[in-house]
């Protein structure tokens, strides 16, 4: 495939500075990297933090943000054997890791001290062409709707991992706090597909309708319910077996420890 020398990108040169839409060079993949022609990119709240620079970890500057990019492999490094030109691929938050430390060795690569992060320490998906380590890049089956898969590369992965590590069994209750939002709505769909009974927690009739439309069995509106803890325990006959907390509210996180069933598990996204 023909790859141009320059491309369009959204880039900022200082934290909190102007977002510039400009021409920049197309990156050349390293021996272990693939080059992805980005067709679609999601936008994550982390992108706002990266732009503002308000997290303890410093961002690369200047920086192209974005870590939910889905597209087509148009070039690859000399050491890459798991991707071919024309394959569909995604660049996720974890762009690459050392693969040699104790965390990488046990499958916890996001905890690698030398992790390279798309849209944070590595130019991300807000550009036409982005590089990704071939080990960590997402392999996307041909024929996949790339527009639909882009947000799954961050929000979807986050809540799926939470549900997976909660080790719940089909038929058990899972409460999803913040169920009507971006991560929450994906968590509801994954939980239903896993055979779990879903109780959504959020505020407002529109969010209640959304959760029910996605397969949620019950909904608790924290803006209308006098005793949220008691209501959740009543609906689930003693409390949910697991809680997925995607709400950033300290009160919601504290409540989840109160209403979860004895021996239940809570996960925070």
């Amino acid at each position: 495939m023909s790859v141009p020398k320059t491309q369009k990108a959204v880039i900022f040169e200082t934290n909190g500075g102007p977002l510039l839409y400009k021409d920049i060079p197309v990156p050349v993949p390293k021996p272990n990297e693939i080059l992805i022609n980005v067709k679609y990119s999601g936008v994550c709240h982390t992108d706002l933090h990266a732009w503002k620079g308000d997290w303890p970890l410093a961002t690369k500057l200047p920086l192209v943000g974005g870590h939910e990019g889905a597209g087509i492999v148009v070039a690859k490094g000399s050491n890459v054997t798991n991707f071919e030109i024309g394959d569909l691929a995604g660049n996720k938050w974890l762009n690459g890791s050392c693969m040699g430390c104790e965390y990488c060795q046990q499958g916890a690569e996001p905890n690698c001290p030398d992790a390279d992060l798309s849209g944070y320490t590595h130019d991300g998906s807000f550009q036409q062409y982005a590089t990704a380590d071939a080990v960590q890049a997402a392999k996307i089956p041909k024929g996949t709707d790339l527009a639909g898969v882009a947000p799954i590369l961050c929000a979807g992965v986050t809540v799926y991992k939470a549900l997976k590590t909660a080790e719940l069994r089909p038929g058990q209750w899972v409460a999803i706090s913040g169920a009507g939002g971006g991560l929450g709505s994906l968590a509801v769909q994954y939980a239903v597909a896993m055979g779990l009974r879903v109780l959504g927690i959020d505020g407002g009739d529109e969010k209640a309708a959304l959760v029910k439309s996605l397969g949620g069995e019950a909904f608790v509106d924290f803006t209308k319910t006098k005793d949220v803890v008691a209501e959740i325990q009543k609906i689930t006959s003693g409390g949910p077996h697991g809680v997925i907390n995607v709400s950033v509210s300290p009160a919601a996180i504290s409540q989840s420890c109160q209403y979860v069933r004895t021996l239940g598990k809570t996960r925070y996204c």
Side-chain angles (χ1 to χ4, degrees):
M1 293 185 179
S2 177
V3 179
K5 298 295 184 183
T6 61
Q7 61 169 330
K8 296 292 185 182
V10 176
I11 188 169
F12 58 89
E13 298 174 346
T14 58
N15 291 122
L19 300 175
L20 307 173
Y21 181 63
K22 59 186 291 187
D23 291 321
I24 66 171
V26 171
V28 176
K30 297 176 182 177
N32 60 315
E33 292 181 334
I34 57 174
L35 179 66
I36 303 170
N37 178 200
V38 180
K39 298 299 185 183
Y40 296 93
S41 177
V43 180
C44 178
H45 198 267
T46 298
D47 295 314
L48 179 64
H49 291 297
W51 172 54
K52 288 186 174 181
D54 55 10
W55 278 6
L57 179 65
T59 59
K60 167 190 175 296
L61 290 174
L63 177 68
V64 176
H67 54 272
E68 298 179 357
I72 303 171
V73 177
V74 294
K76 65 175 189 173
S78 58
N79 293 339
V80 175
T81 59
N82 59 330
F83 281 95
E84 299 297 335
I85 305 303
D87 285 349
L88 302 185
N91 60 321
K92 305 174 296 189
W93 170 246
L94 181 64
N95 193 286
S97 64
C98 77
M99 299 305 294
C101 69
E102 63 173 295
Y103 304 106
C104 288
Q105 290 294 312
Q106 60 182 303
E109 293 99 323
N111 298 101
C112 175
D114 297 316
D116 196 19
L117 308 173
S118 295
Y120 206 94
T121 60
H122 189 111
D123 284 337
S125 56
F126 296 163
Q127 56 184 334
Q128 291 175 289
Y129 295 87
T131 54
D133 189 299
V135 172
Q136 297 299 343
K139 193 75 174 284
I140 302 174
K142 290 188 176 181
T144 301
D145 174 15
L146 293 180
V149 80
I152 293 176
L153 296 172
C154 179
V157 169
T158 299
V159 294
Y160 174 74
K161 178 66 177 295
L163 285 163
K164 184 178 179 180
T165 59
E167 299 179 331
L168 302 174
R169 299 189 299 274
Q172 291 185 325
W173 279 102
V174 61
I176 300 173
S177 180
L183 277 78
S185 60
L186 288 171
V188 171
Q189 295 174 74
Y190 286 133
V192 170
M194 291 174 174
L196 302 175
R197 303 177 71 181
V198 177
L199 182 149
I201 308 165
D202 218 314
D205 293 339
E206 289 186 3
K207 293 188 176 182
L210 173 62
V211 170
K212 292 292 184 68
S213 73
L214 297 175
E217 185 173 337
F219 185 85
V220 172
D221 189 329
F222 71 88
T223 68
K224 300 177 181 178
T225 305
K226 184 175 181 180
D227 190 333
V228 171
V229 172
E231 182 65 14
I232 293 173
Q233 291 184 328
K234 176 183 176 182
I235 293 172
T236 58
S237 301
H241 301 83
V243 181
I244 307 300
N245 238 312
V246 297
S247 169
V248 295
S249 164
I253 294 173
S254 177
Q255 281 183 335
S256 70
C257 297
Q258 299 174 48
Y259 61 67
V260 69
R261 187 181 296 256
T262 301
L263 300 182
K265 299 177 181 179
T266 58
R267 295 291 183 268
Y268 308 102
C269 302

